[in-house]
Amino acid sequence: MSPTAQPPAVPPPMAQPRRDRQGTAILLMCVTALMFAGQDGISRHLGSTYSPVFITMLRYWFFTVFAVALCLRAPGGLRAAMRSKRPVVQFFRGMLLALEIVVTIECFVRLGLINTHAIFACYPLIISVLSGPVLGEKVGWRRWLAVAVGFCGILVVLQPGRDVFTPEAALPFLAAAMFAAYGLLTRLAGREDSAMTSFFWTAVWGAVCMTVLGLRTWEPIAPQDIPWLLILCVCAGCAHFMLIKAYELAEASALQPFSYTQLVWISIFGVVIFGETLAPHVAIGGAIVVGAGMFTWWRSRVRERAARR
């Protein structure tokens, strides 16, 4: 659901100067964020009529075809992409991401785009907390402080004691935790598997999982909804392709801040198209959560630079 997902790493082209390549990568990342936001809006529209499991199953069928086509063009072809030294990790990665998309679509329908993303934005903080026990990384006091500040931002969004604080508000937390676990498993798999291998198995295992769950939810698709389903699938494929191209041209750490432009588009779509209200406490709390996430990203860059010296 998010442009922060791990793309396959492909050797960057050497035709353009580095500065030009980074500018192009930033533009691609911003357009990708727009397309992901549009994809979320369409998912919310369709999720009010069809089962989120059914919608996700159709998306994954298209995603699998797209992933196979991309792997066929990669060095070593499909056979190289299929070789995994961590098949169990790859299985759980694919399953987690697929189920996270289902939960997120349900959030869109119940809570709206804006409220869902304001809470979901905490997933980098969850990754920071779990990177110690899962990956053995050191989590310093600064990152713990950022996590505490981000949690305060979520409390601002939810306003405990008011009507906004409902059992349904736990769903975005669940989605964020699932996406954070997916990110951690991606980093764990990346220690031995190539990025293209992870990309391939993400699509395949997700498609298998959603097909098992989704066939029983099959229902006729209204003619007026077929174009929206097609646009959803095409947007997902194009967004992932542009994400891959962006990471060909620049480092992920340089592009991460621009992925947050998705929140701007989400807010616009939520207010203009779906009639949602961007309440002041949601805007303030969301800004706190994003700021805490940006701080953890900055600290990660500082540590990476220090390790290179």
Side-chain angles (χ1 to χ4, degrees):
M1 304 299 292
S2 169
T4 52
Q6 303 291 327
V10 184
M14 302 299 294
Q16 301 177 5
R18 182 171 183 80
R19 181 176 299 177
D20 291 343
R21 289 192 289 116
Q22 183 160 325
T24 301
I26 291 172
L27 178 61
L28 284 173
M29 178 60 77
C30 292
V31 175
T32 300
L34 170 60
M35 298 195 72
F36 274 120
Q39 171 184 303
D40 289 349
I42 296 173
S43 295
R44 185 197 165 176
H45 168 68
L46 295 173
S48 61
T49 304
Y50 304 96
S51 165
V53 176
F54 176 63
I55 296 170
T56 307
M57 178 183 68
L58 297 180
R59 281 181 54 178
Y60 262 91
W61 288 354
F62 182 89
F63 181 31
T64 301
V65 173
F66 169 75
V68 169
L70 202 63
C71 291
L72 286 172
R73 297 182 56 188
L78 188 61
R79 181 173 298 180
M82 293 175 63
R83 296 194 193 101
S84 173
K85 296 180 180 178
R86 290 182 176 260
V88 176
V89 174
Q90 296 291 3
F91 169 75
F92 280 107
R93 281 184 63 254
M95 182 182 65
L96 265 175
L97 184 61
L99 295 177
E100 178 269 324
I101 293 174
V102 172
V103 174
T104 304
I105 295 175
E106 188 68 24
C107 292
F108 292 156
V109 176
R110 296 192 183 194
L111 299 175
L113 294 172
I114 296 174
N115 289 336
T116 297
H117 272 277
I119 300 173
F120 184 82
C122 74
Y123 78 86
L125 305 177
I126 300 176
I127 290 177
S128 293
V129 171
L130 297 180
S131 61
V134 176
L135 300 176
E137 298 178 358
K138 182 180 178 181
V139 181
W141 67 268
R142 295 179 182 85
R143 281 203 280 176
W144 279 113
L145 179 61
V147 170
V149 171
F151 179 73
C152 291
I154 293 173
L155 290 180
V156 172
V157 173
L158 295 178
Q159 290 190 324
R162 298 197 176 191
D163 292 339
V164 180
F165 193 66
T166 64
E168 292 179 340
L171 287 175
F173 281 115
L174 176 60
M178 294 171 72
F179 192 73
Y182 161 78
L184 289 169
L185 290 177
T186 296
R187 286 158 65 174
L188 188 62
R191 293 176 175 177
E192 295 185 74
D193 287 348
S194 70
M196 189 62 77
T197 295
S198 293
F199 187 70
F200 171 79
W201 287 116
T202 298
V204 171
W205 285 126
V208 170
C209 174
M210 295 318 304
T211 300
V212 171
L213 297 175
L215 285 179
R216 68 188 67 182
T217 68
W218 187 275
E219 56 184 304
I221 303 173
Q224 66 269 19
D225 291 330
I226 293 177
W228 288 115
L229 279 169
L230 293 175
I231 293 172
L232 176 64
C233 293
V234 171
C235 275
C238 290
H240 278 94
F241 180 76
M242 286 192 294
L243 185 67
I244 293 166
K245 297 302 293 184
Y247 283 115
E248 285 181 8
L249 303 176
E251 295 180 357
S253 59
L255 299 178
Q256 180 65 26
F258 299 95
S259 67
Y260 283 110
T261 58
Q262 181 178 352
L263 294 174
V264 177
W265 293 115
I266 284 292
S267 299
I268 294 173
F269 294 161
V271 172
V272 175
I273 299 177
F274 295 100
E276 298 179 11
T277 301
L278 181 56
H281 67 90
V282 175
I284 294 172
I288 293 173
V289 173
V290 171
M294 289 289 291
F295 178 81
T296 60
W297 161 81
W298 175 75
R299 283 299 305 169
S300 297
R301 291 205 69 183
V302 169
R303 293 189 63 187
E304 288 175 2
R305 289 172 181 173
R308 292 172 185 168
R309 295 175 182 174

